[in-house]
């Protein structure tokens, strides 16, 4: 009798263990966004313009260099920081100046931000400057978009076509 | 002096959580038996689950299409296999993994509650901490392979969390900006990680148990059947969910979520990546620091007396922490103790053939012994008890189990030991021959030995199944072995009282009283 009760007790505890695993393996459901909201991702990875143009070295400068390093042109590697602004319905949502990566600041500047916004129609404006020698913004994009609940809008910059893209 | 010495050493120092946990485990012992009690064998269950995950994983890998387009399709097709076999295997793979996380965290919490983090356990504790990271890393990548909505959520959340560190140069999360960014090459990386990380985990588990002799890596048959059986039944009743195919441009409103593995993703996405980093990194540093933060008074380690060591290697066989090794000495051998590994439990002293109290030497020195609590102290304490000449009942008891002071209050003369297996069996015969009416050995509860194997070795020696054994000529009805934990003193007394009512004790006691 005692052994039967022990087996029953074991069965109950194993069942509870399985129920625990089964429950938290699927429940409660996860809601990645609040109801009736969408996600805007501002994700840009772009190497800005060089901060300065190449210039020819003078004869004196060349003579001061070791013979194996006498390259006529000197081209600074450092790139411009990326200045970016994102406005939603006329309100500035984000403004950032991203520095180029790398020790010599010659790599791509990267911006990655997420914004949870109410679903619906919005006016989105993206302004970007990738050349420190040009005042204001070098690239802009504005659009009226209708975001459905759960939609992920990606704002990127196409470095080949030199334009802001909305995906 | 001796009475004071051994009485003063009865103390218990368990924290309240450990005491409660011990009580729960004792309750479960009654139901499962100590050898099949899941709480006592969490590490072994972990190994079992790992093999279940590995075996089911091999099947799944065979039928899995390792491409972006084919991954979801091939997973979906598993449900269409004969008798739903594929779906059950996938569900078992999933639930065994979930159970692995639960068992892992429970194992960690249990060892922490019992304070098993420092001293000779430091290596085992420190090598266990990285296993938590490896488990989560291996499991989370496994979810990505399905490439459903949950996979996309997890992949984005994990890479965004990693990007928050700012050490990867290029933003990892940009690999999941849109469908075009996810290609077969990236999927090959997922597959590589989902095979490679579990292999690393297995290597880590192997290292984790390296400083344990006879590590508990294979659960008893009933525990195996119960655990795997429960997961198989669950796999039939609730197939593992597969959400809609991944769409990086659209998040689901609500989705079935595996909280065992993906809770960190939810915390990072709905909360903050910084908070998760703080919890994960802070928690890891804290766990790794515990061996130094938790100050324990380290027991002096066993020492070898070469003059009395005959190189029999019984201490080498019995040490639970592989702290004893044997070295060559002339034609024989000599035991050597690694001080870093020695727990100071005295099990080796109990195994030493030279630790017999019948030796006619003024000071009993054995081949291997505890310097602070030698077998000579046990013999002198026993001699003092027997000198009273009243046919006493002598109890040798472990300091980590039932409180022996309760026995003293009930007319049983208790002699405390670091571990019941510290007692050489010849002491039982010695006590009976010198006038004790009976001998009680109070050890830790079954499977709950403070030093892992003391209860097993003590039982086996007293039953004549392991060297050094209690001689067959010793009347077994005058010897009682009781397994009890802290707080179970009343059970011990009840068993002793019942045992003392046996006719053999009544007659002895009477004779003693007359004397």
């Amino acid at each position: 009798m005692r052994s039967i009760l022990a087996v029953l007790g074991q069965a109950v505890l194993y069942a509870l263990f399985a129920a625990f695993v089964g429950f938290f393996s699927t429940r409660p459901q996860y809601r990645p966004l609040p109801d009736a909201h969408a996600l805007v991702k501002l994700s840009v990875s772009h190497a800005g313009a060089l901060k300065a143009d190449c210039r020819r070295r003078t004869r004196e400068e060349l003579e001061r260099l070791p013979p194996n390093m006498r390259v006529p042109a000197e081209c600074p590697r450092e790139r411009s920081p990326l200045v970016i602004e994102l406005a939603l319905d006329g309100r500035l949502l984000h403004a950032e100046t991203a520095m180029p990566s790398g020790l010599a600041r010659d790599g791509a500047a990267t911006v990655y931000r997420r914004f949870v916004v109410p679903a619906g129609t919005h006016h989105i404006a993206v302004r970007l400057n990738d050349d420190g020698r040009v005042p204001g913004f070098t690239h802009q994009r504005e659009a009226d978009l209708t975001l459905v609940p759960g939609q992920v809008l990606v704002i990127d910059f196409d470095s080949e076509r030199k334009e802001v893209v909305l995906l | 002096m001796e009475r004071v010495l051994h009485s003063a050493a009865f103390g218990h120092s368990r924290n309240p959580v450990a005491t409660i946990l011990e009580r729960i485990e004792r309750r479960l012992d009654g139901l499962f038996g100590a050898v099949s009690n899941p709480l006592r064998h969490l590490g072994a269950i972990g190994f079992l689950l790992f093999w279940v995950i590995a075996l089911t994983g091999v099947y799944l890998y065979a039928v899995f299409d390792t491409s972006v387009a084919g991954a979801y399709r091939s997973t979906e097709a598993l449900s269409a296999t004969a008798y739903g076999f594929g779906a059950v295997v996938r569900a078992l793979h999933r639930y065994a993994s979930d159970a692995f996380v639960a068992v892992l965290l429970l194992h960690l919490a249990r060892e922490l509650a019992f304070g098993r983090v420092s001293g000779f356990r430091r290596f085992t504790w420190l090598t266990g901490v990285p296993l938590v990271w490896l488990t989560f890393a291996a499991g989370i990548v496994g979810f990505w392979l399905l490439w459903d909505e949950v996979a996309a959520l997890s992949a984005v959340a994990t890479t965004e969390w990693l990007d928050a560190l700012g050490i990867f140069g290029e933003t990892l999360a940009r690999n999941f900006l849109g469908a075009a960014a996810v290609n077969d090459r990236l999927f090959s990386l997922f597959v590589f990680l989902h095979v490679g990380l579990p292999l690393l985990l297995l290597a880590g588990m192997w290292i984790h148990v390296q400083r344990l002799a006879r590590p508990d890596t294979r659960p008893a048959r009933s525990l195996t059947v119960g655990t795997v059986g429960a997961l198989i039944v669950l796999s039939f009743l609730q197939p593992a969910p597969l959400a809609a195919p991944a769409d990086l441009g659209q998040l689901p409103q609500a989705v079935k979520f595996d909280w065992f593995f993906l809770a960190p993703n939810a915390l990072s996405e709905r909360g903050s990546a910084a908070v998760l980093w703080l919890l994960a990194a802070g928690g890891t540093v804290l766990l790794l620091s515990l061996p130094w933060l938790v100050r324990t008074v380290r027991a002096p380690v066993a020492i070898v007396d070469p003059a009395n060591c005959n190189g029999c290697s019984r201490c080498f066989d019995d040490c639970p922490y592989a702290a004893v090794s044997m070295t060559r000495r002339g034609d024989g051998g000599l035991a050597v103790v690694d001080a870093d590994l020695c727990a100071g439990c005295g099990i080796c002293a109990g195994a030493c053939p030279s630790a017999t109290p019948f030796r006619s030497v003024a000071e009993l020195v054995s081949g291997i012994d505890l310097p602070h609590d030698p077998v000579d102290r046990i013999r002198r304490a026993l001699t003092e008890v027997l000198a009273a000449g009243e046919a006493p009942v002598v109890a040798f008891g472990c300091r980590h189990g039932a409180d022996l002071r309760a026995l003293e209050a009930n007319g049983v003369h208790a002699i405390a030991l670091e571990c019941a297996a510290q007692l050489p069996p010849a002491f039982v015969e010695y006590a009976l021959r010198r006038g004790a009416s009976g001998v009680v050995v109070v050890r830790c509860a079954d499977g709950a030995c403070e030093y892992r194997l003391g209860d097993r070795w003590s039982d086996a020696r007293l039953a004549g199944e392991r060297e050094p054994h209690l001689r067959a000529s010793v009347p077994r009805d005058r010897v009682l072995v009781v397994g009890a934990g802290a707080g179970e003193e009343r059970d011990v007394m009840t068993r002793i009282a019942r045992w003392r009512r046996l006719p053999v004790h009544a007659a002895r006691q009477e004779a003693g009283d007359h004397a």
Side-chain angles (χ1 to χ4, degrees):
Chain A
M1 184 63 183
R2 183 173 158 73
S3 67
I4 293 172
L5 284 177
V7 170
L8 280 176
Q10 287 182 35
V12 168
L13 288 178
Y14 279 123
L16 283 174
F17 170 67
F20 172 77
V21 170
F23 183 84
F24 286 106
S25 182
T26 54
R27 284 162 285 241
Q29 288 201 330
Y30 175 59
R31 293 176 172 275
L33 289 177
D35 285 343
H37 279 70
L39 184 67
V40 175
K41 276 188 191 175
L42 174 64
S43 173
V44 175
S45 180
H46 171 58
L50 291 169
K51 271 188 127 174
D53 292 328
C54 295
R55 71 172 182 87
R56 295 197 69 82
R57 287 191 169 110
T58 61
R59 181 182 297 273
E60 292 74 28
E61 283 175 323
L62 285 172
E63 282 172 356
R64 278 201 297 272
L65 290 171
N68 62 325
M69 294 177 71
R70 287 177 185 164
V71 182
E74 182 189 15
C75 295
R77 291 165 59 185
E78 188 175 352
R79 292 181 178 277
S80 300
L82 200 63
V83 180
I84 193 162
E85 282 185 8
L86 169 64
L88 187 78
D89 301 326
R91 186 171 61 90
L92 187 65
L93 208 56
H94 185 68
E96 182 176 345
T97 302
M99 300 307 289
S101 58
L103 291 174
R105 298 281 180 210
D106 59 346
T110 301
V111 175
Y112 189 93
R113 290 285 183 279
R114 292 159 43 99
F115 306 97
V116 176
V117 300
T121 302
H122 295 284
H123 180 76
I124 288 176
V126 185
R127 297 180 280 273
L128 187 147
N129 184 327
D130 64 351
D131 189 343
R133 291 171 296 183
V134 178
F137 293 98
T138 52
H139 307 280
Q140 301 195 37
R141 171 90 185 255
E142 296 196 24
D144 288 310
L145 294 171
T146 301
L147 301 176
V148 299
Q151 183 177 342
V152 181
L153 172 71
V154 176
I155 301 169
D156 198 355
F157 184 79
D158 189 327
S159 296
E160 286 182 8
R161 284 156 46 197
K162 301 278 185 195
E163 64 178 18
V164 175
V165 290
L166 305 176
L167 303 168
Chain B
M1 190 271 281
E2 291 303 326
R3 300 289 293 162
V4 173
L5 174 66
H6 75 252
S7 294
F10 286 156
H12 295 263
S13 57
R14 277 280 154 85
N15 66 60
V17 179
T19 306
I20 293 169
L21 196 56
E22 242 174 24
R23 283 186 188 153
I24 295 171
E25 291 185 354
R26 285 291 286 161
R27 286 285 168 90
L28 291 179
D29 281 348
L31 203 58
F32 290 88
V35 291
S36 296
N37 182 345
L39 282 184
R40 294 203 191 282
H41 303 282
L42 290 167
I45 297 174
F47 271 90
L48 168 71
L49 292 171
F50 182 89
W51 295 121
V52 172
I53 297 163
L55 276 177
T56 49
V58 168
Y59 170 84
L60 293 174
Y61 185 70
V63 298
F64 185 69
D65 185 336
T66 56
S67 66
V68 185
Y72 185 88
R73 206 171 45 235
S74 63
T75 307
E76 204 173 27
L78 279 171
S79 327
T81 52
Y83 311 110
F85 179 76
V88 170
V89 172
R90 185 169 88 83
L92 188 56
H93 188 72
R94 163 82 168 268
Y95 296 136
S97 306
D98 290 337
F100 187 90
V101 172
V103 165
L104 173 82
L105 297 180
L106 205 53
H107 181 52
L108 189 149
R110 181 179 182 269
E111 299 307 300
L112 187 59
F114 284 133
R116 296 172 181 163
V117 300
S118 56
F120 62 94
R121 291 188 173 100
R122 187 169 63 198
F123 175 86
T124 310
W125 175 262
L126 291 178
T127 54
V129 175
L131 303 184
V132 180
W133 280 86
L134 281 171
T135 300
F136 276 91
I140 287 174
V141 174
F143 280 90
W144 300 359
L145 289 177
L146 305 177
W147 207 232
D148 60 355
E149 287 175 329
V150 176
L153 270 174
S154 174
V156 171
T158 305
T159 47
E160 285 178 351
W161 178 64
L162 291 171
D163 286 332
L165 267 186
I167 60 169
F168 292 102
E170 191 68 18
T171 311
L172 297 177
R174 284 180 60 80
N175 287 304
F176 302 101
L177 275 188
V182 183
N183 53 36
D184 291 351
R185 208 166 137 224
L186 188 61
F187 243 69
S188 298
L189 176 66
F190 296 169
V191 174
F192 172 77
L193 288 174
H194 195 52
V195 174
L197 289 172
L199 286 175
L200 266 182
L201 177 62
L202 180 62
M205 289 161 69
W206 179 76
I207 293 168
H208 181 55
V209 298
Q210 277 312 290
R211 290 208 173 166
L212 301 176
R214 295 176 177 79
D216 185 17
T217 56
R218 282 189 302 173
R221 185 176 299 175
S222 58
L223 185 53
T224 302
V225 170
T227 307
V228 178
L231 293 176
I232 290 176
V233 171
L234 173 63
S235 302
F236 272 104
L237 294 178
Q238 179 178 284
L242 181 66
D247 179 355
L248 292 165
Q250 181 70 40
L251 290 170
Q253 285 296 299
V255 69
K256 287 182 175 175
F257 210 59
D258 188 300
W259 292 94
F260 290 98
F261 279 102
L262 305 180
N265 286 155
L267 179 61
S268 173
E269 288 295 276
R270 295 301 299 264
S272 137
V275 169
L276 183 60
W277 269 118
L278 199 67
L279 285 175
T284 303
V285 170
L286 179 66
L287 290 177
L288 290 174
S289 311
L290 277 179
W292 292 273
L293 295 177
V294 177
R295 291 183 178 276
T296 51
V297 180
R298 182 156 189 192
V301 300
I303 52 168
V304 175
D305 182 56
N308 283 283
C309 175
N310 67 2
C312 68
S313 77
R314 287 176 189 170
C315 51
F316 166 78
D317 290 338
D318 283 7
C319 179
Y321 301 101
V324 181
S325 56
M326 302 304 297
T327 185
R328 277 197 164 279
R329 181 180 58 170
D331 291 338
L334 177 70
V336 178
V337 177
D338 184 334
D340 286 338
L341 306 185
C342 180
C345 63
I347 291 177
C348 52
C352 185
S354 64
T356 171
F358 290 106
R359 287 172 61 193
S360 52
V361 286
E363 185 186 3
L364 181 60
V365 179
S366 60
I368 188 166
D369 208 347
L370 296 181
H372 62 295
D373 193 15
V375 286
D376 185 63
R377 192 276 301 177
I378 304 172
R379 187 169 75 165
R380 280 188 283 145
L382 179 58
T383 305
E384 186 185 314
V385 167
L386 296 174
E390 52 188 19
V393 170
V394 181
F396 296 100
C398 163
R399 292 191 182 101
H400 303 277
D403 190 341
L404 300 178
R405 282 171 293 201
L407 275 65
E408 289 245 307
N410 284 275
V412 175
H413 298 274
I415 296 173
L417 308 170
E418 187 57 31
C419 174
Q422 185 191 355
L423 182 74
F427 271 77
V428 175
E429 184 177 0
Y430 184 83
L432 293 175
R433 280 212 210 168
R434 299 291 169 104
S437 65
V439 173
V440 184
V441 177
V442 186
R443 58 164 173 73
C444 288
D446 290 339
C449 175
E450 178 72 10
Y451 298 108
R452 299 186 58 241
L453 304 173
D455 57 333
R456 280 170 62 186
W457 293 166
S458 177
D459 283 5
R461 290 173 192 162
L462 294 174
E465 295 162 355
R466 189 175 185 84
E467 297 298 342
H469 66 273
L470 181 62
R471 293 205 303 178
S473 57
V474 175
R476 291 312 199 260
D477 55 358
R478 291 172 64 194
V479 181
L480 175 68
V481 179
V482 185
E488 295 176 332
E489 292 75 21
R490 188 177 290 180
D491 295 346
V492 177
M493 288 314 305
T494 305
R495 287 199 58 186
I496 292 177
R498 199 182 307 143
W499 171 72
R500 288 178 81 172
R501 283 198 293 272
L502 290 175
V504 61
H505 296 290
R508 289 260 162 195
Q509 193 68 45
E510 200 173 314
D513 290 345
H514 286 305

